[in-house]
Amino acid sequence: MSAGAPRGAGGPGDGGGLRASLSGLTTRGRSFLAAGIAAAACAYVLGQGELLRVGMLLALLPLICVYALHRTRFRVSGSRRLSPGRVPAGGEARVQLRMDNVSRLPTGLLMLQDRVPYVLGPRPRFVLDRVEPGGRREVSYRVRSDLRGRYPLGPLQLRLSDPFGLVELTRSFSTYDTLTVIPRTEPLPPIRLAGESNGYGDGSRRSLALAGDDDVIPRGYRRGDDLRRVHWRSTARYGELMVRREEQPQRSRATVLLDTRRLAFDGAGPDSAFEWAVSAAASSLVHVLEQGFSARLLTDTGDSVPGEGGGFSSGGQESAEAAGLMMDTLAVVGHSDGAGLSRAYDAVRAGGSGGFGGAGGDGLLIAFFGDLDDVQTELAARMRQRTSGALAFVLDSASWGGQPAPGHAVLPLEERLRRLRDAGWTALAAPPGVAFGELWRQAGIERVGTGTTGGRE
């Protein structure tokens, strides 16, 4: 949940001069002014005093309203609360607006409007009655989007009007919030994943971070740590509270590789092959994190999320933050202009510094590929050599109703699958309309049938 911090909005006279207030004349107000000037001119030509008085009344009334609104000195503060701040595509978020009159004067009729992108729905508008000094008004509305992305909400606008409807002044608050629409995810059935014996469970391997008083590897104190674990020698040495590290489970690693090359996918929109791949990648990340893996998101550009600690998430609260960061990245990921998978291949080969835990190739690779030519298929096949297990889901533009990029010699889908399988991948085609959960279950069956649960020499 995110909350917009309250920001004061001064009275209508603040932030604009009298000339700016004149621009707030409505069509009715301008008509009154024009009619008054015309009547006064006619009265002067015809010598009609009564008509002159009528003309002056018509002309002065909108000017008096402008001055009255300009001199209004009440102050209001506004805040916005967005709940939740991150929703899946197709989900709804609730936006609550709160207005407080922080002055000693009552307000008049207030028209409240919040600016939202078109894809989130119509712009919400509210009419607030007179707010007494120290009073408060709360209103709310809902937004939803079928398209992933990051959408700004705000700034909040306050419109004030005179009782005759001759003048309308608009004042804006300065703050806004951001709604993050992440890809849809679906629960995946449990299957045997490579490297699970190295994660949590009965077969967990544990490494001691504390071998003795002289071999202590302390870390900084975190809120909630047991004070009995404080290491006073290190505390005195570093000048801050330090605690002993306890036994930590050695978490298995998993990388989800998403091919984002523009020439690998044709078409756009919620039902396109690329959006299917993004949603499937998000589902895979959620699943492996729930299974206790340290995970990272890797794209064909070689960029890894999260970027610290070798690119993999860690445990506890850090893992939840890393998961949110990966979902936020998938919310805005788009097509890259890259032509190949060489950067992703280098990231996988990086070993302990950014790959799968060193030369042992400890880790699971889950990849989503688009159209591949001969060279990129070979690169993808060789990525398997650095992993203890690899799953590939291959999408074909022709199957999804698109066309391969001009000048891109795409290998036939069956040939791509054959080469990947020969290299040790569990490779499946992803046709349009198929649920990713079904493909995931099928991948588990094929892995058990072929015995591809361990590393490959």
Side-chain angles (χ1 to χ4, degrees):
M1 177 182 296
S2 65
R7 291 290 185 270
D14 296 349
L18 187 59
R19 181 178 299 178
S21 298
L22 284 171
S23 64
L25 283 171
T26 64
T27 302
R28 181 186 299 178
R30 296 175 188 275
S31 300
F32 266 61
L33 184 61
I37 294 175
C42 292
Y44 177 78
V45 173
L46 300 176
Q48 298 292 327
E50 292 79 2
L51 183 60
L52 178 61
R53 286 190 287 271
V54 172
M56 292 181 62
L57 175 62
L58 292 176
L60 288 176
L61 183 59
L63 298 180
I64 293 173
C65 292
V66 167
Y67 183 76
L69 281 183
H70 174 73
R71 295 295 298 174
T72 302
R73 292 301 176 185
F74 65 81
R75 297 182 64 85
V76 296
S77 67
S79 64
R80 180 190 300 102
R81 185 174 296 275
L82 177 61
S83 175
R86 183 188 292 119
V87 297
E92 284 191 346
R94 183 170 180 264
V95 184
Q96 184 174 0
L97 305 177
R98 171 176 161 178
M99 302 297 300
D100 293 273
N101 184 5
V102 296
S103 66
R104 298 181 179 179
L105 298 175
T107 70
L109 190 68
L110 302 179
M111 289 175 285
L112 195 62
Q113 175 179 275
D114 206 8
R115 299 184 62 180
V116 300
Y118 176 77
V119 297
L120 297 184
R123 181 170 296 182
R125 294 181 175 90
F126 306 93
V127 177
L128 304 181
D129 294 333
R130 176 180 177 273
V131 183
E132 65 279 4
R136 174 190 306 169
R137 298 290 186 272
E138 293 185 356
V139 292
S140 64
Y141 64 94
R142 293 184 179 275
V143 291
R144 70 182 299 273
S145 173
D146 292 326
L147 301 176
R148 59 185 177 84
R150 291 173 62 86
Y151 302 102
L153 302 178
L156 192 63
Q157 293 181 330
L158 197 62
R159 307 175 89 188
L160 304 111
S161 177
D162 68 286
F164 303 102
L166 303 178
V167 186
E168 272 190 4
L169 297 181
T170 300
R171 295 292 179 260
S172 296
F173 292 81
S174 59
T175 59
Y176 65 92
D177 288 279
T178 301
L179 174 67
T180 302
V181 181
I182 62 176
R184 290 187 180 94
T185 60
E186 57 179 296
L188 302 181
I191 64 174
R192 177 65 177 175
L193 297 174
E196 278 188 329
S197 62
N198 300 334
Y200 293 98
D202 295 336
S204 298
R205 296 180 303 177
R206 295 179 177 269
S207 58
L208 286 176
L210 180 60
D213 194 58
D214 294 332
D215 298 321
V216 167
I217 305 177
R219 62 167 175 81
Y221 176 82
R222 299 173 184 169
R223 184 176 180 180
D225 284 338
D226 190 343
L227 292 178
R228 290 174 295 181
R229 291 170 50 201
V230 173
H231 190 258
W232 298 108
R233 183 180 300 176
S234 298
T235 298
R237 178 180 179 182
Y238 294 104
E240 60 176 319
L241 206 58
M242 306 293 288
V243 297
R244 295 182 175 90
R245 292 181 185 268
E246 293 182 340
E247 291 185 359
Q248 299 293 334
Q250 185 171 348
R251 295 161 60 91
S252 296
R253 294 179 171 182
T255 290
V256 175
L257 170 61
L258 177 62
D259 184 3
T260 65
R261 295 172 300 137
R262 189 181 306 276
L263 54 78
F265 296 93
D266 184 49
D271 298 326
S272 65
F274 182 68
E275 291 301 321
W276 187 95
V278 172
S279 179
S283 299
S284 301
L285 283 169
V286 172
H287 181 74
V288 295
L289 287 171
E290 289 176 348
Q291 297 301 311
F293 281 75
S294 294
R296 68 168 175 174
L297 171 66
L298 182 67
T299 66
D300 57 285
T301 62
D303 296 328
S304 178
V305 182
E308 300 180 356
F312 289 89
S313 63
S314 55
Q317 181 66 24
E318 291 81 1
S319 181
E321 294 174 357
L325 182 59
M326 288 185 279
M327 290 297 106
D328 289 347
T329 301
L330 287 176
V332 297
V333 68
H335 290 297
S336 71
D337 295 325
L341 302 173
S342 58
R343 293 182 179 178
Y345 176 74
D346 292 339
V348 172
R349 288 191 61 212
S353 61
F356 298 100
D362 177 23
L364 171 67
L365 176 61
I366 305 171
F368 299 88
F369 295 120
D371 292 339
L372 301 173
D373 58 19
D374 182 75
V375 175
Q376 306 314 317
T377 301
E378 179 62 25
L379 272 177
R382 288 163 54 191
M383 291 182 191
R384 172 66 177 88
Q385 299 173 1
R386 301 295 301 176
T387 69
S388 61
L391 304 177
F393 301 92
V394 185
L395 296 91
D396 183 63
S397 293
S399 301
W400 285 78
Q403 296 293 331
H408 188 210
V410 178
L411 284 179
L413 177 60
E414 291 302 324
E415 178 65 14
R416 282 177 264 164
L417 294 174
R418 184 189 65 80
R419 291 195 185 186
L420 292 174
R421 289 165 180 165
D422 289 345
W425 286 81
T426 299
L428 289 86
V434 66
F436 179 59
E438 182 59 34
L439 283 183
W440 184 263
R441 181 182 293 106
Q442 184 180 345
I445 294 174
E446 291 197 9
R447 286 177 60 81
V448 172
T450 58
T452 55
T453 58
R456 181 177 182 269
E457 297 297 335

